[in-house]
Amino acid sequence: MKLHEYQARDILARQGIPVTGGGVATTPDDVRRIAEAIGGRVVVKAQVFVGGRGKAGGIALADTPADAEAAARRILGMNIKGLTVEKVLVAEAITYEREIYLGVVMDRATRAIVLMASAEGGVEIEEVARTNPDAIVKIAAHPMLGLLDFQARDLAFGIGLRDARQVRQFAQIASALYRIYMETDATLAEINPLVVKADGSLQALDSKIVLDDSALFRHPELEALRDSSDEPEAERRAREAGITYIKLDGDIGCMVNGAGLAMATMDVVKLYGGEPANFLDIGGGAGKEKVKAALQIILSDPNVRAVMFNIFGGITRVDEVARGIVAALAEVPTSVPMIARLVGTNEVEGRRILAESTLIPAATLAEAAEKAVAAARTS
Ligand code: GDP
Ligand code: MN
């Protein structure tokens, strides 16, 4: 789950990281009022869950409250990478000399939580990562001891900070960001840009926090911050139905029970030359309603040209799944070909139910994948 910039900013502020004040607004009038209260130059920033808002025109500096209102008129309702801007953050505009990048991520390659920093922060950080990776300094936190003070200082030295006060402040900010990452069970916490002001002090101008959905049950106060307006419809429905769904770019929809089996299914689809349209795990013991929801979610993707069911009935009963498929097809008529490999508990009854439908049966996973790939090519 992603947090909006203004929500992440509040978390940073609570941990003592210097951030810019200001308020959130949904109308140009409110933007003007906030700008009047701040006084002086302000920045109006679109609150949408995408990076690169600046480049997309979603961030504007305004010298007067009237300018801020005009900027808000333009930005509110604007479409940035498919998302409509419904809220803006209005904050005091900061004058600065340099932009630094600071991030905390889970690095699966080194199996550690890694802090990354770069003296070349700002909107070109992806470009820096691609063309000049050496400009990004990385330090792995100790799995038991956490981020040690000397490591935070090393990170500061690594990006060329030398002034003692600045190094100390940077180390404090890095430690606080690491603490936030750990305490909120985040998968990403970053500040970009962290700016150096004329007096040498540091301030966070933009931050991003992504939370681990699987750990959200431990943080009801963070779960309460969820903004479903920006969540893709299919993902929202999957979450509400308790289905794990990840959209991919291919054309073969997959419905599987169990995460491991779902991954194996995708591998076999690819082995037969196909491209999965999604990862979908309906979970153990899934009943009719869940199957129906899953099928509707899969079919809501216009790229899907064939659907493949791979159900291994253990606790999940194959006949229940078969009934769910039939019920879903009755409600969502579709011409998309469907291939089903259903084995395990109550499979005879399951097969009998499906024999009366238009589903193409397959005895093995390989056969199902082969048929799904062929069906996607010709449908
Ligand atoms: P992003 O493009 O979505 O990452 O949004 P950011 O909040 O990082 O803003 C992008 C850029 O806008 C920054 O790198 C700055 O150049 C500029 N910017 C944002 N806030 C301020 C501010 O308070 N003052 C000034 N001068 N520029 C700002
Ligand atoms: Mn940014």
Side-chain angles (χ1 to χ4, degrees), residues 53 122-123 192-193 206:
R53 296 165 303 164
V123 295
N192 188 36
D206 179 26

Side-chain angles (χ1 to χ4, degrees), residues 1-13:
M1 173 183 144
K2 290 177 184 167
L3 294 182
H4 276 301
E5 175 191 7
Y6 71 91
Q7 298 168 329
R9 178 201 63 174
D10 293 347
I11 293 175
L12 263 56

